[in-house]
Amino acid sequence: MKSIRSEIRRSYFVLIIFTCVFITANILVNAGSSSRYNRLLQDYRQVNELSMMNNDRKISFKLYCKSHEYTALENYYENCSHLNARLSELAEKMKHDRQCKMMYRIVCQVVKHHQELAYSYIQADSLYSPGDMSVLDEVDLEIERCLNQLMSRYLEYLNKAFEDYSRQLNLVNFLMNLILIVGCLFTLSVNYRMSRDMLRSISRLTLAAREITNKNFEVEDIEETAFEELNQVSGTFDQMKHTIRNMITELNETYQMKERLAEAKIRELQMQMNPHFLFNTLSLVIRSVQMGERDTAIQLVKAISQILRSSIEIKTTAIPLDDEIELLQAYLYIQKLHLKGRIRFCLDVRKSFLDDTFMIPPLTIQPLVENSIQHGLKDRVSGGKVDILITEKPDHMEVVVADNGVGFVSGEEEKRSKEKAQVKEKGKTSIGLNNVKERLKFFYRKEDVLRIERIDGITKITLKLYKIEES
């Protein structure tokens, strides 16, 4: 059994992993490319500096030949040392290309030959002839020619190396982009499959709700899905359907017994759930899933599941006030999303939570809020307001539901309106003010349980929920 939240987290995790791998690979590839480019460029600079070092060596030698000063001779030896050191550094780098390696050996041999000739000139004996300088000049020309050929060949080698590396880099980038695309497509396919399964499951639940709206309680049970949350709603819905069907059978069998009929009526009212409200809520869930608002869809599923579960799990005629408030909060959350800001709700509870459990008839407060929405504020396009104030008194709990709707008619108009409403609502399962009032009167055995008044454009419904001993 899978959870919707866990499936969403898994798909997000897969997408994040693919993205992180792609970013990391790009960073590594770019860093490697930059490092190799800088390394090859540095090698070329070192080869290019050979020509400058050779010129320095040649100039220092000519200065020595003119002046025969010891300082000029030291400069010559120092320049020769730098040139030889640079040639030694390039020995390993010239092994990668055959022609570069051959030209490198020729340059080393010619430089060595020049240095040997120059040394013999510096250490000349009585047999020395000035004509020997022409040989050194020819060797210098040969060195320059060989260095130019070496630099030219090494530049060709670098160009080829850059081309090969560029092809490899393009291939690597192509593979990384392909992997990222495949990862994104995989994540999208997982999300699509999950959304499709959710929509199918919700559609089956919607069809079952329509059948219940048409009073068809013999409809088949909803098949299980792969999602835990939807199975909870489906199971609760099927259980509600069976419970309502069994309740109807029980009411028909006990119709002749007045006391048992009254108690059965309360239990029936507990089990009644407006199918239109359920259908609208499921439509909100479908719309949230289609718009990608998965967290909202999950919260809606949990809220309607809580309402459905509470409506069928109540086995007594009284529940704790805290449970009724939790049920009301779930109902208000759904209505806020459904009404889209047309009506603002404010729930204010002022009671001692350290006191003993306060028991009231189930589904007592929510019908009053539903009445304000469906009757008082049904034509409001904006600015609607419903305030629910629950205050603890010495001997009772006072519940005030106030709205700025159209209010109630009075006198003969009220009587005629009630008669028309009774004819219109005959056979439906809505929970109205009269039902709440009758239930409270039967539960508390008192008459002053509900009061309706309109003051300054505000309609207020006040309930008195008396404290009784929990049986």
Side-chain angles (χ1 to χ4, degrees):
M1 190 68 64
K2 297 182 291 186
S3 172
I4 296 177
R5 187 182 295 274
S6 64
E7 286 295 303
I8 295 174
R9 287 178 177 175
R10 187 177 69 177
S11 63
Y12 285 164
F13 178 76
V14 172
L15 182 59
I16 291 173
I17 289 296
F18 275 114
T19 305
C20 291
V21 170
F22 176 76
I23 294 174
T24 304
N26 266 300
I27 292 174
L28 294 177
V29 169
N30 290 329
S33 175
S34 177
S35 176
R36 184 167 182 179
Y37 175 79
N38 291 332
R39 187 170 61 253
L40 293 175
L41 187 61
Q42 182 65 26
D43 293 345
Y44 179 73
R45 288 175 179 173
Q46 290 180 351
V47 174
N48 194 35
E49 287 175 358
L50 287 175
S51 179
M52 299 175 58
M53 292 181 175
N54 182 60
N55 289 333
D56 292 341
R57 177 198 58 78
K58 185 170 63 174
I59 293 172
S60 61
F61 183 73
K62 289 184 178 298
L63 290 175
Y64 170 73
C65 292
K66 291 180 180 180
S67 62
H68 291 280
E69 293 181 356
Y70 182 75
T71 304
L73 182 60
E74 283 186 343
N75 290 336
Y76 168 73
Y77 282 139
E78 183 179 357
N79 290 331
C80 289
S81 176
H82 291 165
L83 180 61
N84 293 333
R86 180 55 52 86
L87 288 173
S88 299
E89 293 175 1
L90 294 175
E92 186 69 25
K93 300 173 183 178
M94 294 298 169
K95 293 181 179 180
H96 302 295
D97 184 74
R98 182 173 174 272
Q99 294 186 12
C100 286
K101 183 178 179 181
M102 181 181 64
M103 292 303 304
Y104 170 76
R105 288 180 178 178
I106 294 174
V107 169
C108 291
Q109 291 174 359
V110 176
V111 169
K112 183 178 180 181
H113 179 63
H114 182 277
Q115 291 177 358
E116 290 175 352
L117 290 176
Y119 182 77
S120 63
Y121 175 81
I122 295 171
Q123 302 294 332
D125 53 17
S126 59
L127 299 177
Y128 167 75
S129 175
D132 292 339
M133 288 294 296
S134 62
V135 177
L136 290 175
D137 294 337
E138 291 178 0
V139 175
D140 281 332
L141 292 175
E142 184 65 20
I143 292 176
E144 292 178 358
R145 185 181 65 82
C146 292
L147 283 176
N148 291 332
Q149 291 181 353
L150 176 62
M151 288 187 293
S152 177
R153 180 55 202 169
Y154 193 72
L155 183 60
E156 292 178 1
Y157 164 72
L158 290 181
N159 289 334
K160 186 176 181 302
F162 276 126
E163 290 177 359
D164 294 340
Y165 187 69
S166 296
R167 285 194 295 270
Q168 296 177 4
L169 187 61
N170 291 333
L171 179 60
V172 171
N173 287 330
F174 173 76
L175 292 177
M176 288 193 301
N177 290 327
L178 182 62
I179 293 173
L180 179 64
I181 293 173
V182 171
C184 292
L185 291 177
F186 173 76
T187 305
L188 291 175
S189 65
V190 171
N191 288 334
Y192 171 76
R193 187 177 68 254
M194 182 176 61
S195 300
R196 181 192 60 191
D197 294 341
M198 288 179 61
L199 289 174
R200 287 179 179 176
S201 303
I202 295 173
S203 297
R204 288 195 293 267
L205 187 60
T206 303
L207 291 176
R210 288 177 179 173
E211 293 296 329
I212 297 298
T213 303
N214 296 329
K215 301 180 182 179
N216 180 15
F217 297 101
E218 302 299 328
V219 65
E220 295 183 358
D221 291 346
I222 303 172
E223 298 179 0
E224 282 194 359
T225 66
F227 303 104
E228 180 181 355
E229 292 86 351
L230 292 178
N231 284 335
Q232 291 179 359
V233 178
S234 301
T236 306
F237 185 85
D238 288 334
Q239 188 178 357
M240 180 193 71
K241 177 187 63 181
H242 295 314
T243 307
I244 293 178
R245 187 167 57 196
N246 295 335
M247 186 66 67
I248 293 175
T249 302
E250 182 180 348
L251 287 175
N252 291 333
E253 293 175 353
T254 59
Y255 182 75
Q256 301 297 328
M257 304 176 63
K258 181 178 179 180
E259 193 68 19
R260 293 186 61 187
L261 178 62
E263 181 180 357
K265 181 177 178 61
I266 292 179
R267 295 182 62 192
E268 179 190 12
L269 292 173
Q270 292 175 191
M271 297 303 304
Q272 288 174 344
M273 180 72 184
N274 190 341
H276 293 288
F277 172 71
L278 177 60
F279 178 75
N280 292 334
T281 304
L282 294 177
S283 298
L284 280 175
V285 175
I286 294 176
R287 186 183 65 186
S288 298
V289 173
Q290 291 174 341
M291 296 181 65
E293 300 173 353
R294 302 184 186 277
D295 292 337
T296 302
I298 292 173
Q299 294 300 324
L300 282 169
V301 169
K302 289 182 178 180
I304 194 63
S305 176
Q306 180 182 1
I307 294 175
L308 290 173
R309 186 182 297 110
S310 65
S311 67
I312 64 174
E313 291 182 350
I314 299 173
K315 302 300 182 183
T316 62
T317 58
I319 62 172
L321 176 61
D322 294 341
D323 293 350
E324 179 77 5
I325 293 175
E326 290 182 3
L327 183 63
L328 177 62
Q329 290 173 337
Y331 175 79
L332 292 178
Y333 175 77
I334 295 174
Q335 289 290 7
K336 286 178 182 179
L337 293 180
H338 177 65
L339 296 173
K340 299 179 180 178
R342 292 194 298 111
I343 301 176
R344 183 177 64 84
F345 300 94
C346 179
L347 176 61
D348 187 1
V349 180
R350 304 175 184 177
K351 62 180 290 291
S352 174
F353 290 93
L354 300 177
D355 201 357
D356 295 334
T357 303
F358 191 89
M359 307 298 293
I360 66 170
L363 292 178
T364 299
I365 304 175
Q366 181 262 337
L368 306 183
V369 180
E370 181 181 358
N371 181 80
S372 297
I373 296 172
Q374 294 183 353
H375 298 287
L377 299 168
K378 64 179 181 178
D379 296 328
R380 279 288 187 117
V381 295
S382 64
K385 181 180 179 182
V386 178
D387 293 329
I388 305 104
L389 176 61
I390 302 175
T391 308
E392 185 175 5
K393 302 294 182 180
D395 61 339
H396 69 277
M397 193 72 68
E398 184 181 83
V399 179
V400 178
V401 178
D403 66 80
N404 59 348
V406 296
F408 291 86
V409 295
S410 59
E412 292 298 323
E413 292 181 357
E414 181 181 4
K415 183 177 180 181
R416 288 194 297 269
S417 297
K418 289 182 179 179
E419 292 175 353
K420 291 180 181 180
Q422 289 174 357
V423 173
K424 185 176 180 181
E425 298 295 328
K426 186 177 181 181
K428 294 187 177 181
T429 59
S430 62
I431 304 175
L433 294 178
N434 289 334
N435 285 332
V436 174
K437 184 176 181 179
E438 293 300 323
R439 289 168 59 205
L440 292 179
K441 289 171 63 176
F442 179 82
F443 186 80
Y444 294 116
R445 306 297 181 183
K446 294 178 181 291
E447 294 295 327
D448 58 337
V449 291
L450 187 145
R451 183 177 75 255
I452 303 175
E453 56 185 348
R454 185 167 179 82
I455 303 174
D456 297 332
I458 303 297
T459 301
K460 294 175 58 177
I461 303 175
T462 304
L463 296 182
K464 285 186 177 182
L465 307 177
Y466 294 92
K467 297 181 180 180
I468 58 174
E469 293 292 333
E470 184 179 0
S471 57

